[in-house]
Amino acid sequence: MSVTAAAGFEAAGVAAGLKSTGAKDVALVVNRGRSHAAAAVFTSNRAKANPVLWSQQVVADGVVQAVVLNSGGANCFTGAFGFQTTHQTAELVAEKVGIGAGDVVVCSTGLIGVGDQSFRDKVLSGAAESATVLSSDGGLDAASAIMTTDTHPKQAVVEGSGWKVGGMAKGAGMLAPGLATMLVVLTTDADATPAQLDAALRAATHVTFDRLDSDGCMSTNDTVLLMASGESGVSPSADELEAAVTALCADLARQLQEDAEGASHDITIEVVNAMSEDEAVEVGRSLARSNLLMAAVFGNDPNWGRVLAAIGTTSAEFDPYDVDVSFNGVRLCAKGAPDRPVDEVDMTPRALHILLDLHAGPATATVLTNDLTHDYVHENSAYSS
Amino acid sequence: MSVTAAAGFEAAGVAAGLKSTGAKDVALVVNRGRSHAAAAVFTSNRAKANPVLWSQQVVADGVVQAVVLNSGGANCFTGAFGFQTTHQTAELVAEKVGIGAGDVVVCSTGLIGVGDQSFRDKVLSGAAESATVLSSDGGLDAASAIMTTDTHPKQAVVEGSGWKVGGMAKGAGMLAPGLATMLVVLTTDADATPAQLDAALRAATHVTFDRLDSDGCMSTNDTVLLMASGESGVSPSADELEAAVTALCADLARQLQEDAEGASHDITIEVVNAMSEDEAVEVGRSLARSNLLMAAVFGNDPNWGRVLAAIGTTSAEFDPYDVDVSFNGVRLCAKGAPDRPVDEVDMTPRALHILLDLHAGPATATVLTNDLTHDYVHENSAYSS
């Protein structure tokens, strides 16, 4: 289950010396199929890294034949020199693979500000080398090469009727809506147009990656790319395509959540009976972004008071004195007042479920997040990224 | 320098057993002057604690003669029983002091959800006792009685021409705009109307407490109260009153920042050349609320890349590739690209100054915050509040 699960794709992952550990750090995925339709979603952060600026242009015509990704440096805020590095990387891959540079997406991840001559030399040599070892078994190597603080490669595949869609993802810290410092490559052998891929991808990211909010920070480099080879000969319906891509993104999003930097709990925040889906999401996010609540969870404290204090900062429609809060199935607060005793909740499992009933309407939404731990503080104070 | 510095005020602070340490936990401040004009600002969190719900009504007519404050319990989300406790507290103080219950403001701070019979009994006995030991020297006792996680009482005074305004404040965790879990009582012997006090107080809080954003969390109990006795016989101009109240609030806000729970840096974020003051504040807040940036500061890492990543999430007007970032006077980023080497910055002093030049307009604003440390996580995971 990887980016080479679907027919028509080859991949590679090599070590170019960008990572001091000598681990793989440049990945390449090439679409060898009859079709080169593609769609992508990028970070909504207005400060976009050089590779994002380049790739937005590449994807604009809906045609992509390859994507080259490096870890070990985000090439962000690296000026014109950094943009040239991205451009040269695309040119080099295009030359080696035999395609046009304007069909090569480039992604980078790692420390912001890294992008000097040494960086350029390694990225280029890695790109060139990866093009010589492409194979239909190269998916795992590619998934490994894009890792930064990830503890393991993340891959998944979803099967349709006679077609499939698979993918790889990286991301652990800096997860927030807008797809913070997350790189995702999805490949399918479905036969679909760029517009169909775009619709499916946007619907999928909207309810998955956009609702993964580990620490409220939004990155500069995020890219979610979907490429279609058409090699299955099957053209799924819009609903089928959206459902499969959504299921795949949900799986990868869960893997990212479960690998969030230093987290000790994986928290599913389910907001029900909201006035609208947007409001349910807004309320869910207010919980995910409450440092006090997330620290309490780290301390295994089912602090419903901090839940109410957090949602009171939103503009969503509800009566603060008519909401229910449950932790792992135990209702601790009913209509804004204490209900079951807090010691009935077992907070020790890594998975935590918070249910919040707003009694305001028919809508629901789920937001994924993680708690605020000493390890998070340590990891993000001890190294520059 | 305290709430009894201005003429016409008496105060007291007693121990009622709300704090297990036996420390003082009920405070009372009474205006014995010829005038009882007052104004207050309360939390903007829609989930307001019982004492806030009560006090909003008390202040509505611009007349306040006393304020009773307890620590050891926020009396928030404690239902109708909790509201009755607040009401009974006001009634008891009114009876003991010889005034109307509708002129008694009540404030509470401490754990959310605490407000049962035992809590009520202690608050009432403490309120009754405090009324028997009022004195014009009681300011420090009162300032001590309102402390929760504060490490020391916070007081200040500002002198006008023949009049003065003094105050006390508590607050350490949960500091954010909207005056999170902050209680502030300001007393002046100026002769001023409720409307004049209100205008001065709102202007002052707008540029001080509202820009103190330690951890992005907004409380349920915040109250900033300003009472005027008129005993100086002096009626300052609107400008004079606003300037003095603002200076006092700025002093107290600094004290709160410098005592933020577990912080290792006091950070002054100065945003200059923004399109508007509101945008400057929005940008400053995006930095204060970036966990990645605040963790980097804790690690003594002047991570300008995370500064740019944070401001890119705002809608303020600026070009991400035309901003300058300086840490403690060293410009690390010019026009969105690296400038001086990061090792030129000394991050070891507790005070940190971040200057961000947006090159977009004429406006500036300053936001105060603190870094994200292990101690913060420990304090907020280890106890329920």
Side-chain angles (χ1 to χ4, degrees):
Chain A
M1 43 187 253
S2 72
V3 291
T4 51
F9 291 91
E10 291 183 331
V14 301
L18 289 156
K19 285 176 179 165
S20 55
T21 55
K24 291 181 173 53
D25 48 30
V26 177
L28 178 63
V29 182
V30 178
N31 180 354
R32 299 288 195 191
R34 70 189 74 168
S35 161
H36 302 129
V41 186
F42 299 95
T43 181
S44 62
N45 192 315
R46 294 162 51 208
K48 299 179 196 314
N50 278 315
V52 170
L53 295 173
W54 166 264
S55 298
Q56 284 180 310
Q57 299 178 50
V58 168
V59 180
D61 65 358
V63 176
V64 175
Q65 290 203 58
V67 54
V68 55
L69 314 97
N70 78 275
S71 52
N75 197 12
C76 180
F77 305 129
T78 44
F81 183 86
F83 189 82
Q84 283 164 15
T85 296
T86 294
H87 189 180
Q88 290 179 15
T89 305
E91 293 271 0
L92 185 56
V93 165
E95 178 197 323
K96 299 291 183 190
V97 173
I99 58 182
D103 291 340
V104 180
V105 165
V106 180
C107 301
S108 300
T109 180
L111 305 189
I112 291 176
V114 166
D116 58 4
Q117 186 66 50
S118 163
F119 172 84
R120 174 187 289 185
D121 293 342
K122 292 168 183 168
V123 171
L124 292 178
S125 88
E129 185 190 345
S130 64
T132 65
V133 293
L134 286 164
S135 91
S136 54
D137 295 318
L140 180 59
D141 284 345
S144 302
I146 61 173
M147 288 168 52
T148 53
T149 53
D150 313 72
T151 63
H152 59 274
K154 289 132 189 169
Q155 306 180 105
V157 67
V158 170
E159 311 240 359
S161 259
W163 60 281
K164 58 182 73 165
V165 58
M168 65 179 186
K170 65 81 52 183
M174 233 176 177
L175 290 168
L179 324 166
T181 307
M182 206 174 58
L183 298 183
V184 181
V185 178
L186 311 175
T187 57
T188 180
D189 46 28
D191 194 1
T193 65
Q196 291 168 331
L197 295 176
D198 188 73
L201 186 62
R202 286 181 187 282
T205 54
H206 183 64
V207 297
T208 57
F209 298 124
D210 278 1
R211 295 185 186 171
L212 175 56
D213 203 336
S214 277
D215 65 0
C217 296
M218 194 187 302
S219 160
T220 48
N221 283 58
D222 302 329
T223 306
V224 181
L225 173 68
L226 172 60
M227 297 185 284
S229 68
E231 287 296 302
S232 67
V234 176
S235 292
S237 70
D239 285 351
E240 286 172 329
L241 187 62
E242 179 183 324
V245 174
T246 299
L248 181 64
C249 290
D251 186 327
L252 291 170
R254 274 287 181 193
Q255 293 187 52
L256 294 181
Q257 178 201 27
E258 288 163 7
D259 201 27
E261 277 172 355
S264 73
H265 284 84
D266 302 320
I267 308 163
T268 301
I269 299 167
E270 192 180 357
V271 182
V272 301
N273 296 327
M275 188 74 120
S276 71
E277 192 178 337
D278 280 354
E279 290 196 355
V281 174
E282 181 192 3
V283 168
R285 283 216 178 106
S286 73
L287 299 191
R289 293 178 178 188
S290 164
N291 277 346
L292 281 175
L293 177 61
M294 292 299 118
V297 170
F298 169 57
N300 286 344
D301 167 21
N303 199 312
W304 58 271
R306 290 183 184 176
V307 169
L308 296 186
I311 68 176
T313 65
T314 70
S315 58
E317 183 76 30
F318 62 87
D319 175 357
Y321 290 95
D322 187 23
V323 299
D324 303 343
V325 183
S326 303
F327 275 69
N328 282 343
V330 179
R331 193 176 67 186
L332 302 177
C333 165
K335 295 191 177 307
D339 191 3
R340 305 300 307 160
V342 295
D343 53 25
E344 284 185 12
V345 181
D346 181 7
M347 293 283 290
T348 53
R350 187 180 169 97
L352 169 65
H353 184 266
I354 298 177
L355 176 69
L356 182 58
D357 188 335
L358 298 182
H359 295 129
T364 74
T366 296
V367 172
L368 304 184
T369 191
N370 300 92
D371 51 349
L372 179 59
T373 68
H374 287 300
D375 283 352
Y376 175 89
V377 172
H378 175 72
E379 290 202 41
N380 289 299
S381 59
Y383 87 101
S384 304
S385 86
Chain B
M1 42 189 251
S2 71
V3 290
T4 51
F9 292 91
E10 292 183 330
V14 302
L18 289 155
K19 286 177 180 164
S20 56
T21 56
K24 291 182 173 54
D25 46 31
V26 177
L28 178 62
V29 182
V30 177
N31 181 355
R32 298 287 195 192
R34 69 189 75 169
S35 158
H36 303 126
V41 185
F42 299 93
T43 181
S44 61
N45 193 317
R46 294 164 50 208
K48 299 180 197 309
N50 278 317
V52 170
L53 295 173
W54 167 263
S55 299
Q56 283 180 312
Q57 299 177 51
V58 167
V59 181
D61 65 358
V63 175
V64 174
Q65 290 203 58
V67 53
V68 56
L69 315 95
N70 78 275
S71 51
N75 198 12
C76 181
F77 306 129
T78 44
F81 184 86
F83 188 82
Q84 282 164 17
T85 296
T86 293
H87 190 180
Q88 289 179 16
T89 305
E91 293 272 358
L92 185 57
V93 166
E95 179 196 322
K96 299 289 181 189
V97 173
I99 59 181
D103 289 342
V104 180
V105 165
V106 180
C107 301
S108 300
T109 180
L111 303 189
I112 292 176
V114 167
D116 58 4
Q117 186 65 50
S118 163
F119 172 84
R120 174 186 289 186
D121 293 342
K122 291 169 183 168
V123 171
L124 291 178
S125 88
E129 185 190 347
S130 65
T132 66
V133 293
L134 286 165
S135 90
S136 54
D137 295 317
L140 181 57
D141 285 344
S144 301
I146 62 172
M147 290 168 50
T148 54
T149 53
D150 312 71
T151 62
H152 60 273
K154 289 131 187 168
Q155 305 180 105
V157 69
V158 170
E159 312 240 359
S161 257
W163 60 281
K164 58 183 70 165
V165 56
M168 65 181 185
K170 66 80 52 184
M174 233 174 177
L175 290 169
L179 324 167
T181 305
M182 206 176 56
L183 298 182
V184 181
V185 177
L186 312 175
T187 57
T188 182
D189 46 29
D191 194 2
T193 65
Q196 291 170 329
L197 294 176
D198 189 72
L201 186 62
R202 287 182 185 281
T205 54
H206 183 64
V207 297
T208 57
F209 298 125
D210 279 3
R211 295 186 186 172
L212 174 57
D213 203 335
S214 277
D215 65 358
C217 296
M218 193 186 304
S219 158
T220 48
N221 284 58
D222 301 333
T223 306
V224 182
L225 174 68
L226 172 59
M227 296 185 284
S229 67
E231 287 295 303
S232 68
V234 177
S235 293
S237 70
D239 284 352
E240 287 172 328
L241 187 61
E242 179 184 322
V245 174
T246 299
L248 181 63
C249 289
D251 186 329
L252 291 169
R254 274 289 180 191
Q255 292 188 51
L256 294 180
Q257 177 201 27
E258 289 164 4
D259 199 28
E261 278 173 352
S264 74
H265 285 85
D266 302 319
I267 308 164
T268 302
I269 298 167
E270 193 181 355
V271 182
V272 302
N273 295 327
M275 187 74 119
S276 72
E277 193 178 337
D278 281 353
E279 290 197 355
V281 173
E282 182 192 1
V283 167
R285 285 214 178 109
S286 72
L287 299 191
R289 294 180 176 186
S290 164
N291 277 346
L292 280 176
L293 177 61
M294 292 298 117
V297 170
F298 169 57
N300 286 342
D301 168 22
N303 201 313
W304 59 270
R306 290 183 183 177
V307 169
L308 296 187
I311 67 176
T313 66
T314 70
S315 58
E317 183 77 29
F318 63 87
D319 174 358
Y321 290 96
D322 188 23
V323 298
D324 301 343
V325 183
S326 303
F327 275 69
N328 282 343
V330 180
R331 195 176 67 186
L332 303 178
C333 166
K335 293 188 180 310
D339 191 1
R340 307 299 307 160
V342 296
D343 54 24
E344 283 186 14
V345 181
D346 181 7
M347 293 283 289
T348 53
R350 185 179 171 99
L352 169 66
H353 184 267
I354 297 177
L355 176 69
L356 183 57
D357 187 334
L358 299 182
H359 294 129
T364 73
T366 295
V367 171
L368 304 184
T369 190
N370 299 93
D371 51 352
L372 179 59
T373 67
H374 287 299
D375 283 352
Y376 175 89
V377 173
H378 175 72
E379 289 200 42
N380 290 299
S381 58
Y383 88 102
S384 304
S385 87

